[in-house]
Amino acid sequence: MKVQIRLSGSGGQGVILAGIILAEAGIKMGLNAVQSQSYGPEARGGSSKAEVIIKKEDIFFTKVLKPDVFLSLTQDSFNKYSKDLAEDGIVVVDEELDTSTLKGKIYSLPIISTARDVMGKPMVANIIALGALSQVIEGLDEKTIEEAILARIPRGTEEVNIKAFHEGIRMIKEKM
Amino acid sequence: MKVQIRLSGSGGQGVILAGIILAEAGIKMGLNAVQSQSYGPEARGGSSKAEVIIKKEDIFFTKVLKPDVFLSLTQDSFNKYSKDLAEDGIVVVDEELDTSTLKGKIYSLPIISTARDVMGKPMVANIIALGALSQVIEGLDEKTIEEAILARIPRGTEEVNIKAFHEGIRMIKEKM
């Protein structure tokens, strides 16, 4: 089970909310979850990082050391937070990013441009990313993540967010 | 410096957002901060808990063991999360709560009723609570917490949130 997840992007992209949603989906599945933001000096540059641990067992150690799943929506956050991934880790990034410093399984997806140009709502990039992540995080199912999204988004935005979520699922499936 | 903070309430009361705001205020002050939600079996009952550590030094141990500052907005979350407070901890609770199981410095404030009846916006209870907490958390100043609030709330809600924040400051000062 892929249990250590790190989400990163710039301040306004909603990666903390995405982390909270994944943790709450874990709880809905009867698993244990810890979600955290740790702000070091690098956070002052505008990059944002959220981490989630989801597992069956009790969680005693709450820091993510080697992420199994890593999301990055900006080059800056990629450069800062991609250094300590697990060897068989899965990486999901926006397609604008240069990921040549990294080996392994990388899904490069049009997350930002789809949110902005196709959906007309830049702020749903995090939800598109959750759609993609729903296909690579073991132990969570699509339907439960969708429920957790609906419990956290502002009322009146259900339709666009669910559409964004399914768009994310579609775009990673195309590459699998 | 009071560095370990635990915020608790029911699911919809925005205690996680309040935790994120305090952590981001810490960063704005040049301190280090970690904000986390740890969901155990008790979270399934609808109680919500957010924890924040703010300090000058690097933060290696990210779990809150003995909170120096504890907020509780509901009886259920108070019962679940008030057991391991620091001996000289400061407690801020909604005035409807029965806190007779606890000794020490307790500020019992009309947070929920003020949000609902005076401000007409139940969802600002968390921001009223931040106003009260701003007077008991060492190392953070009022102005910086206000800036962190403005960076996180939905556009168009600035006025009611700033009013709520100052209401929280006023109500704890009356008891000090």
Side-chain angles (χ1 to χ4, degrees):
Chain A
M1 193 171 153
K2 300 282 179 200
V3 294
Q4 301 198 59
I5 304 161
R6 178 179 295 157
L7 313 175
S8 69
S10 69
Q13 287 178 319
V15 298
I16 295 179
L17 178 63
I20 291 170
I21 288 170
L22 287 178
E24 293 181 347
I27 299 308
K28 281 177 194 285
M29 309 258 337
L31 302 165
N32 292 300
V34 173
Q35 192 282 320
S36 65
Q37 291 80 242
S38 181
Y39 305 78
E42 79 288 351
R44 291 175 189 117
S47 282
S48 189
K49 178 183 68 163
E51 296 183 323
V52 188
I53 301 173
I54 299 171
K55 55 194 284 197
K56 276 190 203 143
E57 300 77 22
D58 286 348
I59 299 169
F60 296 108
F61 190 74
T62 59
K63 255 190 179 170
V64 166
L65 291 185
K66 292 200 162 288
D68 305 301
V69 175
F70 174 58
L71 168 75
S72 185
L73 296 178
T74 62
Q75 192 67 49
D76 187 51
S77 65
F78 179 87
N79 297 345
K80 281 172 179 164
Y81 301 124
S82 62
K83 291 186 180 104
D84 51 0
L85 307 187
E87 269 190 35
D88 58 347
I90 294 175
V91 174
V92 175
V93 295
D94 184 68
E95 66 175 359
E96 296 289 319
L97 273 61
D98 173 3
T99 59
S100 55
T101 52
L102 211 65
K103 286 173 194 168
K105 193 72 203 153
I106 300 177
Y107 293 101
S108 186
L109 307 173
I111 297 171
I112 306 285
S113 64
T114 301
R116 189 187 53 218
D117 304 333
V118 181
M119 320 253 346
K121 298 269 177 198
M123 71 280 282
V124 300
N126 61 339
I127 306 296
I128 295 177
L130 283 177
L133 293 171
S134 73
Q135 306 303 303
V136 297
I137 300 171
E138 296 168 44
L140 296 189
D141 69 28
E142 241 173 80
K143 197 69 205 156
T144 308
I145 298 175
E146 191 172 312
E147 284 169 25
I149 290 170
L150 288 170
R152 275 285 166 194
I153 56 170
R155 235 172 294 173
T157 68
E158 290 84 356
E159 202 184 329
V160 65
N161 277 294
I162 294 309
K163 205 174 148 197
F165 181 64
H166 287 278
E167 195 57 32
I169 294 171
R170 192 198 55 71
M171 66 174 71
I172 199 166
K173 279 191 167 168
E174 263 186 26
K175 305 256 181 164
M176 279 177 144
Chain B
M1 195 171 153
K2 300 280 178 202
V3 294
Q4 301 197 60
I5 304 160
R6 178 179 295 157
L7 314 174
S8 68
S10 70
Q13 287 177 320
V15 297
I16 295 179
L17 178 63
I20 291 170
I21 288 170
L22 287 177
E24 294 181 346
I27 300 307
K28 281 176 194 284
M29 309 256 342
L31 302 164
N32 292 299
V34 173
Q35 193 282 320
S36 64
Q37 291 80 242
S38 182
Y39 305 78
E42 79 288 351
R44 291 175 190 117
S47 281
S48 188
K49 177 183 70 164
E51 296 184 323
V52 188
I53 301 173
I54 299 172
K55 56 194 283 197
K56 276 191 201 142
E57 300 78 23
D58 287 348
I59 299 168
F60 296 108
F61 190 75
T62 60
K63 256 189 178 169
V64 166
L65 291 186
K66 291 202 162 287
D68 305 300
V69 175
F70 174 59
L71 168 75
S72 185
L73 296 178
T74 62
Q75 191 68 49
D76 187 51
S77 65
F78 179 86
N79 297 346
K80 281 172 179 163
Y81 301 123
S82 62
K83 291 185 181 103
D84 51 0
L85 306 188
E87 269 191 35
D88 58 346
I90 294 174
V91 174
V92 175
V93 296
D94 184 67
E95 67 175 359
E96 296 290 319
L97 273 61
D98 173 3
T99 60
S100 55
T101 53
L102 210 66
K103 286 174 196 170
K105 192 73 204 154
I106 301 178
Y107 293 101
S108 187
L109 307 173
I111 297 171
I112 306 285
S113 64
T114 301
R116 187 187 55 219
D117 304 332
V118 180
M119 320 251 348
K121 299 269 177 199
M123 71 280 280
V124 300
N126 61 340
I127 306 296
I128 295 177
L130 283 177
L133 294 172
S134 73
Q135 306 303 304
V136 297
I137 300 171
E138 295 168 44
L140 295 189
D141 69 28
E142 242 173 79
K143 197 71 204 154
T144 308
I145 298 175
E146 191 172 313
E147 285 170 25
I149 291 170
L150 288 170
R152 275 284 166 195
I153 54 169
R155 234 173 296 171
T157 68
E158 290 85 355
E159 202 184 331
V160 65
N161 278 294
I162 294 308
K163 205 173 147 197
F165 181 64
H166 287 278
E167 195 57 32
I169 293 172
R170 192 197 55 71
M171 66 174 69
I172 199 166
K173 279 191 168 168
E174 263 184 27
K175 305 257 182 165
M176 280 176 144

